[in-house]
Structure formats: structure tokens, C-alpha cells
Amino acid sequence: MNYDAALDRAIEQLHEEGRYRTFIDIERAKGRFPQAVWTRPDGQQQEITVWCGNDYLGMGQHPVVLSAMHEAIDAVGAGSGGTRNISGTTVHHKRLEAELADLHSKESALVFSSAYIANDATLSTLPKLFPGLIIYSDALNHASMIEGIKRNGGAKRIFRHNDLAHLRELLEADDPGAPKLIAFESIYSMDGDFGLIAEICDLAEEFGALTYLDEVHAVGMYGPRGGGVAERDRLSHRIDIINGTLGKAFGVFGGYIAASNRMCDAIRSYAPGFIFTTSLPPAVAAGAAASIRFLKGQGGQELRDAQQLHARILKMRLKSLGMPIIDHGSHIVPVHVGHPVHCKSLSDMLLRDYSIYVQPINFPTVPRGTERLRFTPSPVHDPKQIDHLVRAMDALWSQCALNRAELSA
């Protein structure tokens, strides 16, 4: 077999479909986020505004976080030195897990190298703990949940997105005595819509199922202390396992689950994705713990309020121009384009001509025909930057002759 030719064909197919992913070289400037510097292909540097980052609240640059990380580096050095079982558990990891357990009102928490690994490792391990487990998974669950469920070798059922009737139908069709778990998200990040937490918990109680909630795009962002949508809606106590990230609103790196002592101990003891992975650097754990502590307080609420306000302003202004906004009331602002080539072209022109950085979202992240630009306004985007983005979108939408929604009189 000609391996090089096979690789060339695979890459060329992405180019032909208009969904080849291009990395751009950007350097964030400490204290100036969302401003960054882009090194262009010709080597020239251009100052840009980042509009697609998941550092939703700017905590990756917050002095509280940076101070905690510097202090930890000065105290203990860089790496952790091993897995959690072999020299890789430090006081910083224990403090972080205590902060996370408190955040979600759970007995315990377990930190992983990423939320992807936390989902994959946990969901692939649960059937070992509950033989015969059937997992019911929302059709729009994140790839990490899908992969974990696939790899576990157990039974799985896929219910249509947020379709309670379909979920009930699947639950009713299975053995009432079989162990069950319903896996879903609080915010589905590509459309920005919310999962039906209370209603799914009702079904779980009715059918004796465990609940597994991915709060990755909600932790830090919702609830009086940043505990996510479940905390906001006072439903945390009804969720058996909560998955979250330290790399988005908390601005650092890593992932976790929060659950009962018994559940976390079992996952810690059986999940290869936890057992055989070097633990987070202590400085990262210290920075994440500091970020969580800050966002639990009044300063965190002020950031959440400002972020929500900027998201509402951006949606309102884009809608007023007839932009096809997908608006479910969350902090995410997706603008539907519907074609991979157009989506990439808009992204390229925004960056080159307007110094606005937003990545195109194409298949397989979203279904074909639903390609979009996904904006993530933050508390540190100012009114001038919002105005510049709106004017740029208006100009390019006209230049590319893209459809606008019918505006009411």
C-alpha cells in the first residue's frame, strides 16, 4: 500500500469539502485579553481581537490565578512527577478537588488531565462497575461522551436531542431491573441551547437510572457561585455525576467529575484514563483552585453579569441586521452560515481585513449544512470592539450576498 498517497487523499478530501482546519499563530498579551497578536503567513504581525475563545470570563489572565500559579511554581517547581498513584498527588490537587466538591455540593471530586478524558474515562468505566449497564445518550452529546460510551462495550441507546418522549420510549422498552444511566449536557455548545435537566431527572427517578451531566460550558458561568446550570436551577442534588472543565470559564487547564465519595473512589480505582495518566502540574491545580474560589464570590457574579449583558447586546445588534442568529438564551452566539466554503471565507476575511478572529465551525463538529461562526463575547470585550464586529459582519454579509432574515417593520 502507498501510505503517503492514502494520507494525501484523506487531506485533499478535506480541502475539496472546504473543511480543512487551519491553525493560526496567535499570542495572547497578558492583561490585554481579548487582544492578541497574529503572526501572518508572510511573517508580519497584526493585532487582532479574539472572538472565539472559551476563556469565557478572561480568568486565564486574572491576577488571582496568575499569582497562585507563580506561588506554586516557586514552592514546588513545574511538573507533578507522576501519576496520582505514583508521587503525583500533592496538596494542590487535594485542595482543587475540595473546591470542586464544594462548588457542586458533592461529597467528592476527581481531577483529570482534561474534561474530554474525564468523560471518556468515566463513561467507559461505569459498565465495569455496574454489569449490564444501559447508557441513554442525547444525540448531540459531545464527542468525548460518545467515545466513552462506545468504548465501554456495554449497551447504549441514543435518544433524539432533548426529546423526552423518545427517551421515555427507550427506557420503557428495556428490562426494568437493568442498571441504567442517562448522559446529557446542560449547555450544548454549538447551538447554545439548554438540556432539560429537571425533566430528565424526573425520568431517571421513575426508571431507577443514574444521571450524568456534562456542565463543561456552564461551570463558572451560571449559578450563584458558578456551579453551572444545575446549581442555578437548584438541581445539583439530583445529579449523580457532574463533569466539568477547568479550561474554559476557569481559564486554566484540566477536567473533573464531582459525585459521591463512593463513586469517585470507584472511578479512581478502575478507570485506566485516570490511573495511567500523569497528574496536572501543581501550578495548574493551584491556579484552577484560585479561579474557582474567586468565581464563587461577588467578583465572579460581576463577571457573569457583564458576560451575559455583552452576549445579549451582540445578539440584539446582529438580529437587528437580519443575521441568522441561533439564540437559546445562553452566553454563546452562533451565526448560521450553512456552507463550509462560505464559512471559511467569512472567517478568513474577518481576520485579514478586520482583525477579528473567529474560527469556522464545520462538519464533523456540527452536521453538514449547519456550518456557522460561533462568537463568545466576554466581560472584557468593550463596546467599541462589539461595534466593530457588528459593522464587519454587516459589510461582509452584503459583500458575500448571504441571506438575511426578514425584518419586521
Side-chain angles (χ1 to χ4, degrees):
M1 178 176 180
N2 187 330
Y3 296 102
D4 288 341
L7 293 174
D8 288 340
R9 284 195 300 272
I11 296 300
E12 183 58 32
Q13 181 179 347
L14 296 179
H15 282 289
E16 290 174 356
E17 295 177 3
R19 59 185 186 93
Y20 179 77
R21 297 176 187 233
T22 303
F23 294 159
I24 75 165
D25 297 329
I26 64 170
E27 183 175 353
R28 299 188 352 159
K30 186 178 75 170
R32 299 191 63 225
F33 183 75
Q35 297 303 107
V37 174
W38 169 41
T39 302
R40 298 164 58 107
D42 61 7
Q44 297 296 309
Q45 291 192 326
Q46 179 176 331
E47 187 166 287
I48 62 173
T49 304
V50 177
W51 275 101
C52 58
N54 286 334
D55 185 358
Y56 291 133
L57 300 176
M59 292 301 294
Q61 311 258 318
H62 199 283
V64 167
V65 175
L66 301 185
S67 176
M69 295 184 74
H70 281 297
E71 183 179 334
I73 288 175
D74 291 341
V76 302
S80 65
T83 67
R84 291 291 294 275
N85 296 308
I86 306 175
S87 80
T89 295
T90 72
V91 64
H92 298 290
H93 296 89
K94 300 300 289 183
R95 288 172 181 166
L96 173 56
E97 288 174 342
E99 288 287 354
L100 290 166
D102 174 72
L103 177 69
H104 294 292
S105 300
K106 297 298 182 188
E107 293 178 339
S108 189
L110 196 62
V111 172
F112 293 77
S113 54
S114 72
Y116 188 108
I117 298 300
N119 269 334
D120 189 2
T122 303
L123 288 167
S124 63
T125 299
L126 287 171
K128 300 176 188 175
L129 305 173
F130 307 109
L133 179 70
I134 304 170
I135 297 183
Y136 303 81
S137 175
D138 188 287
L140 295 189
N141 276 343
H142 189 264
S144 58
M145 301 173 77
I146 294 170
E147 287 303 311
I149 294 167
K150 281 181 179 178
R151 287 200 312 107
N152 68 32
K156 64 179 183 294
R157 312 282 186 260
I158 310 301
F159 62 93
R160 292 185 292 271
H161 177 53
N162 272 350
D163 190 330
L164 297 172
H166 189 215
L167 175 56
R168 171 179 287 279
E169 178 184 325
L170 294 174
L171 288 162
E172 288 177 337
D174 283 319
D175 179 0
K180 301 175 178 66
L181 178 139
I182 305 172
F184 62 112
E185 301 185 33
S186 63
I187 295 180
Y188 293 85
S189 64
M190 290 301 108
D191 283 350
D193 61 327
F194 292 89
L196 305 176
I197 301 177
E199 295 86 345
I200 288 177
C201 286
D202 289 342
L203 283 174
E205 289 180 8
E206 181 180 346
F207 288 91
L210 296 171
T211 49
Y212 186 104
L213 180 65
D214 181 307
E215 288 257 37
V216 160
H217 289 272
V219 290
M221 302 293 293
Y222 297 84
R225 300 192 310 152
V229 179
E231 185 200 31
R232 182 197 69 180
D233 296 346
R234 300 180 180 180
L235 295 169
S236 297
H237 64 287
R238 302 185 69 187
I239 303 297
D240 294 295
I241 305 173
I242 293 175
N243 168 276
T245 184
L246 305 170
K248 291 184 169 60
F250 294 129
V252 191
F253 180 77
Y256 64 90
I257 61 167
S260 67
N261 287 329
R262 189 178 288 107
M263 181 68 77
C264 287
D265 192 26
I267 297 298
R268 178 189 70 83
S269 301
Y270 280 86
F274 179 84
I275 295 170
F276 298 105
T277 300
T278 299
S279 65
L280 291 181
V284 171
S291 181
I292 294 164
R293 281 194 299 272
F294 178 85
L295 290 178
K296 286 177 180 177
Q298 182 58 37
Q301 191 57 50
E302 290 171 1
L303 288 178
R304 285 188 285 276
D305 290 343
Q307 196 283 331
Q308 291 285 339
L309 175 62
H310 288 176
R312 288 196 298 272
I313 290 171
L314 181 58
K315 289 177 184 178
M316 177 184 67
R317 293 198 60 186
L318 291 176
K319 282 181 182 179
S320 72
L321 296 173
M323 296 287 163
I325 302 295
I326 304 170
D327 185 7
H328 293 284
S330 73
H331 61 284
I332 295 167
V333 186
V335 180
H336 181 266
V337 178
H339 192 284
V341 174
H342 293 161
C343 201
K344 179 69 166 61
S345 296
L346 282 168
S347 172
D348 290 344
M349 289 186 287
L350 283 167
L351 182 63
R352 182 188 65 236
D353 302 334
Y354 295 92
S355 298
I356 291 169
Y357 175 42
V358 57
Q359 277 283 15
I361 306 295
N362 292 334
F363 178 85
T365 307
V366 296
R368 298 180 194 274
T370 69
E371 293 81 5
R372 70 206 54 188
L373 299 174
R374 177 181 174 272
F375 297 98
T376 52
S378 75
V380 291
H381 284 94
D382 62 38
K384 288 184 179 179
Q385 291 165 339
I386 294 175
D387 187 64
H388 180 60
L389 170 61
V390 170
R391 292 177 184 273
M393 286 290 287
D394 188 26
L396 288 179
W397 218 259
S398 297
Q399 179 180 327
C400 298
L402 297 173
N403 290 333
R404 299 183 190 243
E406 290 293 330
L407 301 180
S408 57

